[in-house]
Amino acid sequence: MPDAIFAHPRLAAVYDAFDGDRGDLAAYLDIATQLGADRVLDVGCETGSLALLLAEHGRTVVGIDPAAASLEIAKSKDREGLVTWLCGDATILPALDIDLALMTGNVAQVFLTDDDWTRTLRGIHAALRPGAHFVFETRRPERRAWEDWAAEAPVTLDVPGLGMVQRRLEVTDVDLPLVSFRFTYRFLTDGEVVTSDSTLRFRDRDDLESSLVANGYRMMDVRDAPDRPGREFVFIAERAGSRQSAE
């Protein structure tokens, strides 16, 4: 079940405001160009920022996310109907003959068990054409990002149409490789408080590479995130073998 930050209608409506400038997405547009990808799948598309950017640059795009509230925001921004939006996770994907699957943000870290991660890898594999690519980012465990989160001060923004909203972040548990945290949103116009609890898994590079190879991918490259040097890995893998090889 998606976390409230994506699934609660009121939180989905303020997500983009607190997510800020998405300058990080330009790197994925560049990767799509480098790989010659025309048909792109955005896994965990949230409110559609990356999917729409890709579509506006001429790609055929499918965006999938299990949070209906976030998808409603995405659809509201897609006035020309450029993107095919699917509600669900990667396990429901059909064979789409996609050239490139992307997974940005925290998405690769929300799969807390090995079984969930394996099912996701296999679902994406089934959607890709032979020789297509899967690219995703994940935080480096050694960077200990949760220590920065614990020091983060509350943020208050004037969200268009909603007024002043305050967000507070609290790290609630660190039991590596799992880190849990809570966002608390206070809507100052009416005093409503909505919380969202999340847990992320911090996998190391060797673990991720092994899981990719075991589920029908060939490792192509592991890069530094250009906008967050030293903080994240960007994995680039190629779909190997027949569709049945990863099932």
Side-chain angles (χ1 to χ4, degrees), residues 62-127:
V62 176
I64 185 168
D65 198 283
S70 291
L71 281 181
E72 287 304 311
I73 300 297
K75 291 175 184 178
S76 72
K77 295 189 285 186
D78 185 16
R79 295 182 178 87
E80 298 180 18
L82 299 176
V83 177
T84 298
W85 305 102
L86 301 176
C87 189
D89 60 31
T91 64
I92 72 162
L93 288 167
L96 297 170
D97 284 327
I98 292 293
D99 299 321
L100 171 64
L102 294 171
M103 186 186 285
T104 62
N106 295 334
V107 176
Q109 294 182 255
V110 305
F111 308 103
L112 305 185
T113 69
D114 291 339
D115 285 347
D116 285 346
W117 178 236
T118 294
R119 285 192 290 268
T120 298
L121 292 179
R122 291 179 177 178
I124 293 169
H125 187 280

Side-chain angles (χ1 to χ4, degrees), residues 46-68:
E46 299 172 349
T47 57
S49 297
L50 176 58
L52 287 166
L53 177 66
L54 290 160
E56 288 162 1
H57 282 78
R59 270 75 178 185
T60 299
V61 182
V62 176
I64 185 168
D65 198 283

Side-chain angles (χ1 to χ4, degrees), residues 132-135 212 217-221 235-239:
H133 295 89
F134 173 38
V135 176
L212 287 164
Y217 298 88
R218 281 191 291 265
M219 285 302 308
M220 305 298 291
D221 195 9
F235 286 80
I236 301 178
E238 182 182 56
R239 180 192 184 279

Side-chain angles (χ1 to χ4, degrees), residues 207-247:
D207 181 26
L208 288 164
E209 290 189 4
S210 296
S211 68
L212 287 164
V213 171
N215 287 286
Y217 298 88
R218 281 191 291 265
M219 285 302 308
M220 305 298 291
D221 195 9
V222 181
R223 302 179 180 177
D224 209 13
D227 61 313
R228 297 178 292 277
R231 294 173 179 261
E232 299 189 2
F233 292 120
V234 177
F235 286 80
I236 301 178
E238 182 182 56
R239 180 192 184 279
S242 65
R243 295 195 188 279
Q244 289 74 22
S245 67
E247 296 174 353

Side-chain angles (χ1 to χ4, degrees), residues 155-167:
V155 177
T156 302
L157 297 179
D158 188 355
V159 181
L162 294 172
M164 303 299 289
V165 183
Q166 182 189 76
R167 185 186 74 178

